[in-house]
């Protein structure tokens, strides 16, 4: 069946992350970064949210919309970094640092969010940490984003040993090689990259931040240090500009195909299911973050 007809029939909205494949990006009603997607999820009046991204993003949408059906077209679309934080270890860390606030990156399970004081995304991590009265912050689970935040604050950031394999594999040498070939290009990287990569970049942004920056910049060329899927959107919205990707691929993000999207909309499956208790506890830190907004 035709996608538009299906959407109307089910009163569904399609939310897609900037790393999705081109067919999904074209099909999405809203395309964005983690924060933008959470904001869209909180505002929609659709009965069904089809989330084209990875598990933690769809879970966030469910927490914000417990009464709606939230569908993730393939439950194997997971973020390995989100699985790196476990409740047992987090409780241990809280005992070790009783005065610290727990800031969890949205790239965590709903269970971890439920144990956190506040969430953040890469678009507002610095602003979220600065907003807190605590002087010590347990930052879960991305150590690279935690190190990035540490550049902007005197607070003690207690790092969790998690990382994103996609961004960890973006090497400084790769970026410098691209810069040699395209000397006029601006270097944009994601704050999940390692510190040595961030050091040589012109800017570190969330994926939404990159989209906004490219639109406003006078530069015609950009080296993009994040998942390659975003280059489709950047080129589509800025056809006169050129983008050079490090070729990094997130296999979880690529699990969502157009066929799976249509099938999930037809069947309204697979659905995100969370217990009432987790939803209640995870909602507070997410909403606290949403009040702070974009950094
Ligand atoms: P953004 O919030 O910047 O889109 O990042 C999400 C993500 O998973 C980065 O790897
Ligand atoms: Fe997770 Fe990294 Fe993929 Fe983002 S790019 S979803 S952090 S594995």
């Amino acid at each position: 069946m035709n996608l538009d007809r299906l959407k109307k029939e089910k009163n569904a909205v399609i939310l897609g992350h900037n790393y999705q494949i081109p067919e999904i990006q074209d099909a999405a009603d809203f395309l964005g970064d983690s924060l933008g997607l959470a904001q869209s999820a909180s505002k929609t009046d659709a009965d069904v949210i089809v989330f084209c991204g990875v598990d933690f993003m769809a879970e966030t949408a469910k927490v914000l919309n417990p009464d709606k059906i939230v569908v993730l077209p393939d439950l194997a679309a997971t973020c390995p970094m989100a699985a790196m934080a476990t409740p047992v270890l987090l409780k241990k860390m809280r005992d070790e640092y009783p005065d610290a606030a727990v800031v969890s990156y949205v790239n965590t399970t709903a269970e971890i969010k439920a144990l956190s004081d506040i969430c953040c995304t890469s678009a507002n991590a610095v602003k979220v940490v600065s907003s807190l009265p605590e002087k010590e912050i347990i930052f879960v689970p991305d150590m690279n984003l935690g190190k990035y935040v540490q550049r902007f604050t005197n607070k003690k950031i207690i790092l969790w040993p998690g990382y994103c394999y996609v961004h960890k594999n973006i090497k400084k040498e790769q970026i410098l090689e691209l810069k040699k070939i395209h000397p006029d290009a601006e270097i944009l990287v994601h704050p999940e990259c390692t510190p040595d990569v961030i050091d040589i970049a012109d800017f570190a942004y969330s994926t939404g931040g990159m989209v906004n920056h490219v639109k406003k910049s006078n530069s015609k060329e950009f080296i993009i240090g994040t998942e390659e899927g975003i280059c489709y959107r950047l080129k589509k919205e800025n056809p006169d500009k050129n983008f050079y990707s490090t070729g990094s691929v997130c296999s979880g993000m690529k699990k969502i195909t157009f066929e799976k999207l249509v099938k999930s909309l037809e069947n309204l499956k697979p659905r995100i299911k969370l217990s009432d208790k987790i939803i209640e506890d995870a909602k507070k830190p997410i909403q606290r973050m949403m009040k702070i907004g974009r950094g």
Side-chain angles (χ1 to χ4, degrees):
M1 202 199 274
N2 169 289
L3 190 69
D4 284 333
R5 207 160 351 126
L6 257 178
K7 266 194 327 192
K8 215 182 229 170
E9 189 186 292
K10 311 279 184 185
N11 189 22
V13 65
I14 301 174
L15 304 185
H17 186 264
N18 290 323
Y19 295 159
Q20 290 289 290
I21 59 170
E23 295 90 321
I24 299 289
Q25 292 199 23
D26 290 341
D29 296 302
F30 179 83
L31 195 59
D33 62 8
S34 311
L35 183 63
L37 291 166
Q39 286 167 335
S40 292
S42 71
K43 285 183 207 141
T44 184
D45 52 12
D47 295 321
V48 175
I49 297 173
V50 183
F51 208 105
C52 297
V54 288
D55 52 357
F56 73 84
M57 297 176 176
E59 281 190 0
T60 302
K62 181 68 184 172
V63 169
L64 293 169
N65 294 282
D67 300 329
K68 294 190 197 297
I69 294 173
V70 178
V71 172
L72 179 63
D74 185 341
L75 290 182
T78 59
C79 169
M81 176 160 64
M84 288 176 190
T86 60
V88 174
L89 258 181
L90 182 54
K91 281 177 195 151
K92 210 173 141 220
M93 222 150 162
R94 262 207 189 274
D95 290 344
E96 215 174 308
Y97 300 96
D99 297 331
V102 174
V103 176
S104 68
Y105 192 23
V106 283
N107 299 42
T108 45
T109 60
E111 214 179 344
I112 290 291
K113 289 183 179 79
L115 296 170
S116 305
D117 294 301
I118 189 166
C119 293
C120 73
T121 78
S122 57
N124 62 13
V126 174
K127 198 173 173 188
V128 164
V129 167
S130 310
S131 76
L132 301 172
E134 289 87 349
K135 298 269 179 285
E136 292 186 335
I137 309 291
I138 298 171
F139 195 89
V140 189
D142 185 9
M143 64 173 159
N144 289 320
L145 182 60
K147 286 178 192 170
Y148 177 73
V149 171
Q150 185 68 85
R151 294 176 189 231
F152 302 93
T153 179
N154 292 326
K155 297 181 189 216
K156 180 179 174 181
I157 307 288
I158 300 150
L159 300 171
W160 188 277
Y163 61 89
C164 160
Y165 75 98
V166 180
H167 289 89
K168 194 181 171 201
N169 285 340
I170 296 176
K171 301 293 176 204
K172 179 179 158 183
E173 293 70 28
Q174 246 180 313
I175 303 268
L176 291 175
E177 197 57 40
L178 286 169
K179 182 74 179 174
K180 223 188 269 172
I181 307 168
H182 308 287
D184 295 333
E186 275 187 358
I187 303 173
L188 309 185
V189 304
H190 198 277
E192 286 178 15
C193 288
T194 51
D196 58 331
V197 168
I198 294 178
D199 283 343
I200 58 161
D202 293 305
F203 300 97
Y205 283 127
S206 73
T207 61
M210 287 185 193
V211 168
N212 293 336
H213 176 88
V214 165
K215 219 173 276 171
K216 288 190 228 137
S217 171
N218 290 327
S219 296
K220 291 280 179 215
E221 297 184 297
F222 302 85
I223 293 163
I224 303 296
T226 192
E227 215 271 354
E228 56 86 36
I230 193 175
C231 291
Y232 174 73
R233 174 172 182 184
L234 293 173
K235 187 68 186 170
K236 189 176 166 184
E237 295 181 2
N238 306 275
D240 59 326
K241 299 186 177 182
N242 288 320
F243 304 94
Y244 310 113
S245 166
T246 49
S248 320
V249 173
C250 170
S251 61
M253 285 282 179
K254 300 317 194 216
K255 287 271 187 316
I256 312 293
T257 62
F258 189 76
E259 290 69 30
K260 288 180 197 170
L261 163 63
V262 173
K263 205 170 152 211
S264 67
L265 200 42
E266 277 169 353
N267 303 332
L268 298 184
K269 272 197 256 179
R271 293 184 193 186
I272 298 293
K273 288 190 188 123
L274 296 169
S275 73
D276 292 346
K277 172 82 179 127
I278 290 288
I279 288 177
E280 192 191 321
D281 292 350
K283 195 176 256 181
K284 286 172 216 148
I286 295 173
Q287 284 181 334
R288 196 174 168 198
M289 166 192 82
M290 306 261 283
K291 272 199 198 115
I292 288 172
R294 207 164 273 276

